[in-house]
Amino acid sequence: QVQLVESGGGLVQAGGSLRLSCAASGITFSINPMGWFRQAPGKQRELVASITRGGTTNYVDFVKGRVTISRDNAKNTVYLQMNSLKPEDTAVYYCNRPAIHLGWGQGTQVTVSA
């Protein structure tokens, strides 16, 4: 059974940093592209960063220069390092395949105070 477990969220002040982790099981992780999504209250879930199985990364404009996605195939884990956090980054963050999604995990809450 496929399982995605996100962790690492929390409450930080604007300008702070967080490192999110997502452990995957039930899939051959190394061959799958992965992404980080976020969903703010009252808004649709959106993709913010992705990484191919070969390690090529892609970011949406509003996070470029502030976040870094990486993966450790030996640990079946994808990470999102977030720096210079802004209040508008407040959301629940999820990992999943960028397309043809797997079942969603519970997400991890990121709250950025002004």
Side-chain angles (χ1 to χ4, degrees):
Q1 184 177 355
V2 176
Q3 192 172 19
L4 301 170
V5 180
E6 300 92 348
S7 62
L11 172 63
V12 295
Q13 290 186 331
S17 298
L18 283 172
R19 187 192 193 208
L20 308 184
S21 299
C22 171
S25 59
I27 60 171
T28 306
F29 180 80
S30 62
I31 67 171
N32 280 279
M34 293 298 295
W36 280 96
F37 298 76
R38 72 185 188 187
Q39 186 168 20
K43 295 188 177 181
Q44 289 193 337
R45 191 173 295 166
E46 57 185 355
L47 178 67
V48 298
S50 62
I51 184 167
T52 67
R53 60 183 185 177
T56 300
T57 59
N58 193 39
Y59 303 94
V60 294
D61 286 345
F62 55 79
V63 300
K64 277 183 181 177
R66 300 191 297 120
V67 308
T68 302
I69 188 171
S70 60
R71 65 191 298 159
D72 185 336
N73 290 336
K75 295 182 178 180
N76 287 1
T77 300
V78 59
Y79 304 97
L80 189 70
Q81 175 68 44
M82 302 193 296
N83 303 319
S84 303
L85 283 162
K86 304 176 181 180
E88 51 264 44
D89 293 320
T90 295
V92 180
Y93 284 72
Y94 303 86
C95 70
N96 211 315
R97 291 193 301 206
I100 313 177
H101 303 318
L102 305 167
W104 294 94
Q106 83 289 349
T108 187
Q109 175 71 49
V110 171
T111 303
V112 185
S113 62

